[in-house]
């Protein structure tokens, strides 16, 4: 590991946290990006933690150079929970950063700060480096009894909502998927991407700019409508309430599930409750197993489940958990997902102009 941060206190904290795990060794540290680039050449680390804001050479400039010289090196950005830092972190993800963690704020003690970094960072480093995640960060297991792949006749006759879950690598995957969906999409879309507050609002704005669909951070009471994409806000579960012929968002501060809030499992149970089997669920790249239990609920309700394949996933944790439990109808590479989604949404509807990639 190489730890890059302009603060000596943060470098020491991150180094101490990482080396508390017997499977991780910090080979070196750097105070800015220029030094970091030299040390990457010297030390050949398996992964890098990279501060967003640094003097001399900041995180974005460093990342651009790393991606030119080391395109597959796992890079985890280290960001504060500010709008400026969140914007820069989203820029970094678009430039090829593998993932990010947020620096602890208002945690009350050094020990609490270290615990916050440890809980976020170590599982991500291990997942990105292909190791087994730490037991404390492993989500609840997938259902014990695998389902066989459903025959075509068991698919829902018509789908009335699209539900998408993602985590590590998800921002890039969603930025690839949603702009390929047409403006006249006949169903609403709900999305849970593991992200903290501030990040989700800014991410929704970026997706809205890039997509023909309207995309916004979900608010309590929002009505699900065709062509509208609602993104679960950071630190809130996205639940739903069906009443009076409408389905509305009900945001929740219920305890985290799979160590996550928002959690994909909560959203999947919500769409199953509101729509029964008339659901297409898509699980994109992400570490852990969030979504597997919810996919089980959806399959039992008669819904359709699609997951991203291992080859195009940054981490095949979430989609892999669904697939290996026998809950996925199809496992597809990311470039094929949009066309498949559009094909499913055509089913049971009169012919209309509904083609993947028609957004402009």
């Amino acid at each position: 590991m190489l730890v890059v941060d302009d603060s000596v206190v943060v470098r020491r904290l991150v180094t101490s946290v990482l080396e508390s795990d017997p499977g991780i060794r910090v080979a070196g540290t750097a105070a800015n990006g220029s030094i970091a680039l030299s040390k990457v050449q010297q030390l050949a680390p398996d992964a890098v933690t990279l501060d967003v804001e640094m003097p001399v050479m900041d995180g974005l400039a460093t990342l651009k150079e790393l991606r030119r010289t080391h395109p597959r090196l796992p890079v985890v950005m280290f960001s504060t929970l500010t709008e400026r830092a969140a914007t820069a972190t989203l820029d970094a993800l678009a430039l090829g950063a593998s993932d990010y963690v947020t620096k602890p704020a208002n945690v009350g003690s050094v020990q609490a700060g270290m615990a916050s970094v440890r809980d976020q960072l170590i599982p991500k480093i291990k997942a990105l480096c292909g190791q087994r995640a730490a037991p404390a960060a492993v989500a609840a297991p997938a259902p014990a009894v695998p389902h066989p792949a459903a025959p075509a006749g068991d698919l829902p006759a018509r789908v009335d909502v699209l539900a998408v879950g993602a985590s590590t690598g998800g921002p890039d995957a969603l930025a690839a998927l949603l702009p390929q969906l047409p403006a006249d999409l006949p169903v609403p879309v709900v999305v849970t991407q593991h992200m903290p507050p501030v990040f989700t609002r800014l991410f929704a704005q970026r997706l809205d700019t890039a997509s023909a669909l309207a995309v916004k951070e979900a608010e309590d009471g929002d009505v699900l409508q065709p062509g509208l994409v609602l993104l679960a806000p950071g630190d809130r579960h996205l639940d739903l309430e069906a009443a009076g012929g409408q389905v509305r968002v009900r945001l929740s501060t219920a305890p985290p599930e799979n160590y996550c809030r928002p959690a994909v499992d909560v959203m999947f149970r919500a769409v199953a409750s509101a729509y029964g089997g008339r659901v297409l669920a898509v699980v994109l790249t992400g570490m852990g197993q969030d979504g597997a239990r919810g996919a089980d609920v959806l399959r039992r309700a008669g819904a359709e489940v699609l997951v991203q394949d291992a080859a195009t996933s940054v981490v095949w944790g979430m989609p892999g958990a669904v697939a290996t439990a026998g809950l996925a109808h199809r496992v597809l590479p990311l470039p094929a997902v949009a066309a498949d989604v559009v094909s499913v949404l055509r089913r049971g509807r009169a012919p209309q102009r509904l083609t993947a990639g028609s957004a402009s």
Side-chain angles (χ1 to χ4, degrees):
M1 281 294 307
L2 177 66
V3 175
V4 186
D5 199 290
D6 65 313
S7 166
V8 64
V9 173
V10 173
R11 291 200 301 274
R12 287 174 178 167
L13 183 149
V14 175
T15 298
S16 177
V17 164
L18 290 172
E19 292 194 330
S20 69
D21 188 288
I24 299 176
R25 182 177 69 87
V26 176
T29 63
N32 62 57
S34 180
I35 298 171
L37 293 175
S38 296
K39 290 204 172 183
V40 166
Q41 297 298 334
Q42 296 167 11
L43 303 173
D46 294 322
V48 174
T49 65
L50 184 59
D51 189 19
V52 171
E53 299 175 330
M54 295 181 294
V56 182
M57 188 176 194
D58 67 14
L60 290 180
T62 306
L63 177 66
K64 288 178 184 177
E65 183 61 19
L66 283 174
R67 281 295 166 255
R68 187 182 69 81
T69 58
H70 296 76
R72 299 186 64 81
L73 177 66
V75 177
V76 178
M77 306 305 294
F78 214 49
S79 170
T80 55
L81 270 175
T82 64
E83 185 156 333
R84 176 180 170 180
T87 298
T89 303
L90 291 172
D91 288 340
L93 292 172
L95 288 170
S98 310
D99 208 342
Y100 65 94
V101 298
T102 54
K103 295 183 179 181
N106 303 318
V107 292
S109 70
V110 173
Q111 290 74 20
M114 292 179 71
S116 173
V117 173
R118 181 175 60 250
D119 292 347
Q120 293 183 76
L121 184 55
I122 289 179
K124 291 185 178 185
I125 292 297
K126 290 190 170 186
L128 290 167
C129 292
Q131 301 178 34
R132 186 174 179 176
V138 174
V145 180
H147 293 249
D154 290 343
L155 297 176
R158 173 172 143 160
V159 165
D160 289 335
V161 68
L162 170 63
V164 184
S167 184
T168 306
D172 267 1
L174 288 165
L177 170 63
L178 292 182
Q180 293 188 64
L181 301 180
D184 57 353
L185 202 73
V187 305
V189 183
V190 287
V191 178
T192 290
Q193 161 70 50
H194 295 160
M195 266 186 174
V198 181
F199 283 70
T200 45
R201 175 173 55 82
L202 296 174
F203 184 48
Q205 290 170 0
R206 290 185 178 220
L207 291 173
D208 182 64
T209 300
S211 305
L213 298 168
V215 185
K216 69 183 290 286
E217 184 183 58
E219 298 177 77
D220 199 68
D222 278 343
V223 177
L224 273 65
Q225 303 174 43
L228 175 63
V229 181
L230 296 173
L231 178 70
D235 202 34
R236 295 290 185 273
H237 291 308
L238 195 156
D239 209 337
L240 300 174
E241 178 184 68
Q246 293 182 324
V247 178
R248 293 182 179 272
V249 169
R250 290 293 176 241
L251 299 180
S252 163
T253 56
E257 295 192 19
N258 309 303
Y259 305 93
C260 302
R261 189 170 64 202
V264 178
D265 276 343
V266 173
M267 180 184 71
F268 280 178
R269 291 198 306 268
V271 292
S273 176
Y275 291 92
R278 305 185 314 280
V279 179
L280 173 60
V282 177
V283 182
L284 300 175
T285 174
M287 60 174 283
Q289 299 185 39
D290 189 23
R293 288 186 179 276
D296 181 55
V297 172
L298 283 166
R299 276 291 305 268
R300 294 179 190 281
E304 191 164 350
V305 179
L306 162 68
V307 304
Q308 185 177 349
D309 71 356
T312 61
S313 293
V314 174
V315 178
W316 206 55
M318 287 167 48
V322 174
T324 56
L327 297 169
H329 292 88
R330 292 176 303 287
V331 179
L332 296 176
L334 181 62
V337 171
D340 188 90
V341 166
V342 169
S343 175
V344 170
L345 297 182
R346 276 204 192 106
R347 190 191 308 140
R349 287 185 165 83
Q352 58 179 308
R353 184 182 63 81
L354 183 59
T355 56
S358 66
S360 59

